[in-house]
Amino acid sequence: MDFQSKNGHRSKSPSPDLEEGIAPGVLRGVHQRELEGTEKSSASSPKPDVVYIEWEQGDPRNPANYSYVRKWVITLTAAGMTGLSAAAASTYALGYPSMIKDLNCTQFQATLGLSLYPLGFGVVPLFTAALSEEFGRQPLYLFSTLIFLLTHLGIALSKNIQSVLIFRFIAGAAGSTGATMVGGTVADIWSPKERGVPMSIFAMAAIGATGLGPAGAGWIEMDHKLEWRWIQWIHLIVTAVYFAIMPFAMKETRSTVLLTRVARKMRRKTGDPRWRARAEDERGSLSHLIYISCTRPLRLLLTEPVVASFSLWISFAWGILYALIESVSPAFKQLHHFNQGETGTAFLTLFIGSVLGYITNLYQERIYQKRFPFKHQEARLYAACFSAILFPVAVFIYAWTSFENVHWMGMAIGITLFIWALFAMYLSVFTYLADCYGPYASSALAGQSLCRNVFGTIFPLFTTQMYDRLGFPRSSTLFACIAILMAPIPFVLFRWGPQIRSHSKFAKHVPAFGS
């Protein structure tokens, strides 16, 4: 352990630490040079007679120095929670038929359970993400997984639809840790140049698991001895196994929290109050952290053209994803007479599309390394431009193959291409906003996450009615036409991004840097 007095000329700045605790999926340390620069330029100077504790070079307790095996165990464990929460989002919809019959509720009431899940995903992290500053990542993973587990128990035992809806919202709130914390966990332990593959695995879990879950849930729903309650029981069993493994696999990765624990231990051991971690002085109060995490994302979302445009684009696509979850069952049943099990299997197209997106991201990373010296942050947008074209094409294919006399593979291809585009968009939005906003990236990403999940909440509420009134082809065509109107967004940013950012009080001072 290295010790440095407050006369060491390294001043404090609360902003980077506040920001880092906010982000849903933001990469801590992606902008380490910017953060360090912010610290050095801060006006407040350290108080005398306080000794700061720092990591020594190569200290094995520093998360950045964890072994390669431990890093991958932590990464896969964190991504596992992402996959569980993503699967729970979509498997619920496969239990509609028996749930409606068993609880004597309407289709709309059952659909509310699908909508309330992303609402919990979007809103609650604004309040809870700051807790990682105070308590660390590991306790949040453990507590969230336990609550997530108990919500499945509550849903499985529910006697009315109102109880189901309450537990679904809480499940989304608890499951949101699998989205808001994983990016930060990856950034805690992997260097910037190593994060491409771990983040792609995170995205695979977030989107691919949305398709894997229903593939089994459809067949469970078909069995009259199992039905919708057993979809929840199986989720409960899998989550319980995951929860039992987590304390051994998931270690604390938040360096500032670990240093704070060491400082507290030193104070107790020596009785000397001078031993401190920098985070104890640089970090604001918990109430201030929560205030920042709630207000700054909204400010960026409403005042920054880059954040607003990209958030609107990915949010619309995310809304279509939830509309797709809602509409796949009636579409394949009515047009191609699929049973519930076969309908669930059709969701495997979401996983296949994610695999294609993963491969595309490997090419995007290569292009980024080559083109960064010329395009800077905009080198992140090649895959985004590709997906801007693929997105409406995919939805048009889904729309124009939604006829009884067209083979069901046409619709499956449309879904696969849409998920391919969504995957590329998802990673592009994360990486581009992180690059553009430096120490404010957390708030930028929190803003787009809120917007994205609000769209995911709203779209299922009108999907069934829209498809009933307009039919499958015209409804999907309407979505595709809106996607065309939004297609120029990444191209505009690719061409004029630097000029747009130069007028931003948040982004204009963030220099270009490599990964």
Side-chain angles (χ1 to χ4, degrees), residues 308-321:
S309 59
F310 247 28
S311 297
L312 181 63
W313 188 44
I314 188 63
S315 297
F316 176 68
W318 207 252
I320 292 181
L321 172 64

Side-chain angles (χ1 to χ4, degrees), residues 149-430:
L149 185 154
L150 293 176
T151 59
H152 290 306
L153 178 64
I155 295 172
L157 296 176
S158 292
K159 301 300 182 182
N160 53 65
I161 189 62
Q162 290 78 15
S163 299
V164 171
L165 299 182
I166 292 171
F167 283 118
R168 280 289 289 180
F169 176 79
I170 298 173
S176 66
T177 297
T180 61
M181 207 66 64
V182 176
T185 300
V186 169
D188 288 341
I189 58 179
W190 298 99
S191 65
K193 65 180 181 181
E194 297 174 318
R195 289 176 193 148
V197 173
M199 279 304 295
S200 295
I201 290 175
F202 160 63
M204 276 285 292
I207 299 176
T210 307
L212 286 179
W219 296 104
I220 296 170
E221 170 67 14
M222 274 193 68
D223 191 328
H224 296 300
K225 297 180 181 179
L226 302 177
E227 297 185 329
W228 73 276
R229 293 187 189 275
W230 266 97
I231 293 176
Q232 301 302 320
W233 284 120
I234 291 175
H235 268 297
L236 173 67
I237 293 169
V238 175
T239 306
V241 172
Y242 175 79
F243 181 68
I245 295 173
M246 179 173 281
F248 306 98
M250 179 57 67
K251 304 299 181 182
E252 180 57 58
T253 63
R254 183 86 173 129
S255 180
T256 55
V257 170
L258 291 172
L259 285 170
T260 299
R261 291 175 185 174
V262 172
R264 289 171 181 168
K265 184 178 180 180
M266 290 288 293
R267 290 197 293 268
R268 288 195 302 268
K269 183 178 179 179
T270 64
D272 187 345
R274 293 182 303 165
W275 299 109
R276 300 199 47 95
R278 290 186 180 277
E280 293 179 279
D281 294 328
E282 294 174 352
R283 186 167 59 225
S285 66
L286 181 59
S287 60
H288 185 62
L289 285 169
I290 294 176
Y291 173 78
I292 292 294
S293 70
C294 290
T295 57
R296 188 171 287 161
L298 293 175
R299 182 180 176 187
L300 285 164
L301 184 62
L302 296 175
T303 63
E304 290 291 310
V306 173
V307 178
S309 59
F310 247 28
S311 297
L312 181 63
W313 188 44
I314 188 63
S315 297
F316 176 68
W318 207 252
I320 292 181
L321 172 64
Y322 272 83
L324 197 68
I325 294 171
E326 176 73 10
S327 67
V328 163
S329 289
F332 279 86
K333 285 180 179 179
Q334 294 176 27
L335 299 177
H336 302 292
H337 312 293
F338 276 31
N339 60 36
Q340 194 71 358
E342 293 168 337
T343 299
T345 304
F347 277 87
L348 286 176
T349 52
L350 278 69
F351 179 74
I352 297 171
S354 298
V355 173
L356 294 174
Y358 178 86
I359 295 171
T360 301
N361 186 62
L362 297 179
Y363 282 99
Q364 164 62 51
E365 285 297 312
R366 292 181 183 177
I367 294 174
Y368 173 76
Q369 297 297 333
K370 291 180 179 179
R371 300 293 300 172
F372 171 78
F374 312 102
K375 297 298 296 183
H376 305 298
Q377 283 93 329
E378 281 62 43
R380 295 286 191 188
L381 297 181
Y382 288 94
C385 293
F386 166 73
S387 62
I389 298 172
L390 183 61
F391 177 20
V393 169
V395 181
F396 271 126
I397 291 174
Y398 183 72
W400 295 343
T401 57
S402 299
F403 297 96
E404 289 188 50
N405 59 344
V406 178
H407 196 277
W408 62 266
M409 281 296 296
M411 294 174 64
I413 291 172
I415 297 171
T416 302
L417 295 180
F418 165 69
I419 297 300
W420 184 4
L422 178 64
F423 191 102
M425 293 165 63
Y426 187 75
L427 276 180
S428 295
V429 167
F430 267 78

Side-chain angles (χ1 to χ4, degrees), residues 29-108:
V30 166
H31 305 278
Q32 194 60 44
R33 274 174 274 182
E34 282 74 11
L35 298 188
E36 289 175 356
T38 305
E39 288 180 353
K40 292 176 182 177
S41 64
S42 183
S44 59
S45 58
K47 300 175 182 178
D49 67 10
V50 172
V51 181
Y52 279 140
I53 297 176
E54 302 283 2
W55 297 123
E56 290 179 346
Q57 185 72 25
D59 193 321
R61 292 173 294 179
N62 183 351
N65 296 327
Y66 285 167
S67 69
Y68 193 73
V69 172
R70 171 173 282 191
K71 287 182 179 182
W72 271 114
V73 169
I74 293 173
T75 300
L76 294 176
T77 303
M81 185 174 185
T82 305
L84 286 174
S85 58
S90 55
T91 53
Y92 170 83
L94 274 295
Y96 281 175
S98 60
M99 180 188 295
I100 292 171
K101 178 182 63 177
D102 190 22
L103 300 182
N104 193 29
C105 63
T106 65
Q107 174 81 23
F108 181 77

